[in-house]
């Protein structure tokens, strides 16, 4: 692998976000790999293909597939990539990393074992993990990066629940991954925002989230994640060529 951290960006209808995000990679000195997941029925697919053909950077990866909406696409890509990367991250195509070395800060926070880390999006701040990174063993343990009953919203609430329930979540308030959202006038309201923020979508995802949280889904996942933390704690450590049991 080129790097141990992969940032997954599901994107639709916003090919201009690609050069904007790549500019953030350059300005912040990021070395993390970056994967854009594009829908094969996207009306702006030609714009994405133009970037694919002209960007020559070994860190940048592409996947084009059937439209599964944000959560479905994220899960499909994360499961496929988990065996190849130690850490998996997600951000929307409207996030912009601003802090130099943000990806190294994520790696350091996750290097101690299973866990979740998120930065400051300048919108929700500590309240929600709208851009997040986690150890890939979380994805392989659960079989998804977010509950597949969700479509677009409430993934950040689940990641907060997981991290708190595991006792392994870190908020880096000085690490900015800015959320360029129309709610605070940082982007225009386009078709993508209209679809995912419609009252129907909000109701659907909220209903799915509360069912997951309150009807046993969350607790079942937390049992697996807590066991994962325990197993990590008791893994043998290797010191100067000698095996030692973890304390």
């Amino acid at each position: 692998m080129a790097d141990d951290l992969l940032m997954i960006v599901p994107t639709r209808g916003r090919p201009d976000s690609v050069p904007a995000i790549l500019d953030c990679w350059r300005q912040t000195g990021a070395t993390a790999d970056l994967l854009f997941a594009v829908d094969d029925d996207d009306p702006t697919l030609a714009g994405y293909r133009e970037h694919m053909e002209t960007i020559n950077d070994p860190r940048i990866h592409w996947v084009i597939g059937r439209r599964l909406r944000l959560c479905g696409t994220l899960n499909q890509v994360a499961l496929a990539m988990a065996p190849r990367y130690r850490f998996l991250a997600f951000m929307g195509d409207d996030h912009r990393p601003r802090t130099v070395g943000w990806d190294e800060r994520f790696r350091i926070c996750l290097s101690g074992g299973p866990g979740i880390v998120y930065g400051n999006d300048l919108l929700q701040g500590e309240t929600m993990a709208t851009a997040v990174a986690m150890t890939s063993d979380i994805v392989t343990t659960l079989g998804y990066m977010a509950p597949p009953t969700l479509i677009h919203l409430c993934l950040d609430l689940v990641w907060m629940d997981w991290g708190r329930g595991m006792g392994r979540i870190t908020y880096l308030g000085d690490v900015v991954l800015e959320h360029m959202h129309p709610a605070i006038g940082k982007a225009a309201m386009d078709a993508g925002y209209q679809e995912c923020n419609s009252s129907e979508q909000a109701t659907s995802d909220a209903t799915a989230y509360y069912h997951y949280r309150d009807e046993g889904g969350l607790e079942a996942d937390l049992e697996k994640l807590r066991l994962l933390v325990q197993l990590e704690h008791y893994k043998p450590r290797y010191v100067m060529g000698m095996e030692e049991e973890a304390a």
Side-chain angles (χ1 to χ4, degrees):
M1 70 181 72
D3 194 85
D4 55 359
L5 170 62
L6 175 68
M7 175 65 79
I8 303 168
V9 182
T11 180
R12 180 180 178 87
R14 297 173 186 151
D16 290 345
S17 67
V18 174
I21 291 172
L22 293 183
D23 187 54
C24 290
W25 247 240
R26 288 187 289 270
Q27 291 188 21
T28 62
T31 62
D33 281 8
L34 177 60
L35 187 152
F36 292 101
V38 184
D39 297 332
D40 60 9
D41 68 343
D42 191 330
T44 64
L45 183 57
Y48 287 107
R49 288 196 182 278
E50 183 177 346
H51 293 309
M52 294 177 203
E53 294 167 0
T54 57
I55 295 171
N56 183 21
D57 188 328
R59 297 171 303 171
I60 311 307
H61 308 277
W62 305 87
V63 61
I64 301 176
R66 180 171 62 89
R67 190 183 190 199
L68 300 174
R69 302 295 299 273
L70 185 143
C71 187
T73 296
L74 177 62
N75 282 336
Q76 183 178 71
V77 174
L79 276 172
M81 295 295 120
R84 299 173 51 189
Y85 290 87
R86 185 180 178 193
F87 313 122
L88 296 173
F90 158 82
M91 70 178 192
D93 59 9
D94 57 352
H95 282 83
R96 303 289 183 267
R98 303 298 190 192
T99 302
V100 172
W102 64 269
D103 53 333
E104 186 61 20
R105 294 283 301 281
F106 278 11
R107 293 185 191 93
I108 291 169
C109 284
L110 298 175
S111 63
I116 294 173
V117 62
Y118 64 109
N120 185 356
D121 71 348
L122 303 182
L123 176 58
Q124 299 293 347
E126 189 172 6
T127 306
M128 290 187 186
T130 64
V132 67
M134 64 184 68
T135 50
S136 60
D137 52 8
I138 290 176
V139 175
T140 55
T141 295
L142 299 181
Y144 46 73
M145 195 165 174
T149 52
L150 299 176
I151 294 174
H152 191 101
L153 304 175
C154 300
L155 284 71
D156 38 27
L157 298 178
V158 171
W159 294 326
M160 299 292 291
D161 290 337
W162 287 355
R164 289 169 175 165
M166 297 168 67
R168 303 293 291 270
I169 189 167
T170 302
Y171 170 63
L172 299 176
D174 62 333
V175 175
V176 174
L177 284 81
E178 187 175 6
H179 198 177
M180 309 299 290
H181 199 278
I184 47 176
K186 293 183 178 181
M189 180 64 72
D190 61 16
Y193 288 120
Q194 290 173 352
E195 179 182 49
C196 69
N197 291 293
S198 69
S199 59
E200 293 81 6
Q201 188 62 69
T203 298
S204 174
D205 276 334
T207 300
Y209 167 69
Y210 288 124
H211 185 272
Y212 169 79
R213 189 192 69 178
D214 299 333
E215 301 299 326
L218 174 60
E219 189 53 41
D221 281 349
L222 287 179
E223 287 183 13
K224 297 174 185 176
L225 296 177
R226 290 169 184 146
L227 179 58
L228 181 65
V229 172
Q230 285 184 306
L231 293 174
E232 176 67 24
H233 181 71
Y234 288 105
K235 276 185 179 178
R237 309 300 182 192
Y238 294 89
V239 180
M240 296 182 66
M242 298 181 63
E243 183 176 305
E244 292 187 358
E245 289 296 327

